[in-house]
Amino acid sequence: MIIRVGLLGGDELVRRGLESMLRTLGGFELGSFKDRMRAPIDIALIETFGTPLDDTTLSRAVADPFIRRVAVFTWNHHPGLVDDVLSDGVSGYLGKSLTAIQLGRALRAIHLGEAVVAPPLGGHAGGGNRVPSEADILTTRERETLGLIATGRSNDEIAQEMRISLNSVKSYIRSAYRKTGVQSRSQAVLWAVNHGVRADVLEKV
């Protein structure tokens, strides 16, 4: 079963990042609000950051018969806002800091009728334990390569920085692309950014 997710608000980078994450997860697709009468939206993600106080986007989405569930999708994870929103018929309040795995779990729970706040207001699930992410499918070298690609380095520069051959760099890129499902350098940059693979944390990997 495919869960159709629609994003209302947010810029192009957020939209493309969300689409990439959903494609990586499998079982989801980014739906169109314009086509919702033909193919209803299972979960509408609404970006509310920066909207006026009298904005009615959320209430209109909740009342829309062609939208089954509504969730806020934002960086603004404030407890007071969460309480207000969930009391108005919204099914979830999701932070953009969620990894692909966490987002997938939250969306599936919302689809099943649960009210979801993620990450939890009291902190991250699991206490101090690191939550597994989609980036765990990559080897350390593949992660490092993607992290450097995300900084704009060329293959030659990556080879010099990692102190490996150019052929090895190309091999890591091919395997990383295959595992993540990306097909271009720009998609690789988006995937790395969305999954927390950054050059400034490579020494900790």
Side-chain angles (χ1 to χ4, degrees), residues 21 25 94 97-108 116 118-119 124-125 130-134:
M21 292 174 79
L25 286 168
L94 310 182
S97 61
L98 295 175
T99 65
I101 285 180
Q102 291 169 329
L103 178 62
R105 288 172 179 165
L107 291 175
R108 290 187 181 97
V116 177
H124 295 285
R130 187 177 68 87
V131 177
S133 76
E134 289 291 322

Side-chain angles (χ1 to χ4, degrees), residues 118-140:
L121 295 179
H124 295 285
N129 297 328
R130 187 177 68 87
V131 177
S133 76
E134 289 291 322
D136 290 333
I137 65 178
L138 302 174
T139 67
T140 299

Side-chain angles (χ1 to χ4, degrees), residues 1 4 16 23 34 38-39 43 55 67 76 83 92 95 98 106 109 113 126 131 136 138 140 153 165 169 186 196:
M1 178 183 63
R4 288 174 55 81
R16 291 192 177 188
R23 186 169 57 249
K34 292 181 179 179
R38 179 180 58 83
I43 303 173
D55 184 78
I67 298 176
N76 198 0
D83 292 339
L98 295 175
V131 177
D136 290 333
L138 302 174
T140 299
R153 288 174 171 81
S165 69
V169 171
S186 60

Side-chain angles (χ1 to χ4, degrees), residues 3 33 59 72 127 168 193:
I3 299 175
F33 283 97
S59 59
V72 170
S168 294
V193 171

Side-chain angles (χ1 to χ4, degrees), residues 33 36-37 58-68 70:
F33 283 97
R36 68 186 183 280
M37 286 185 285
L58 271 176
S59 59
R60 285 187 287 112
V62 169
D64 194 313
F66 301 102
I67 298 176
R68 297 190 174 107
V70 176

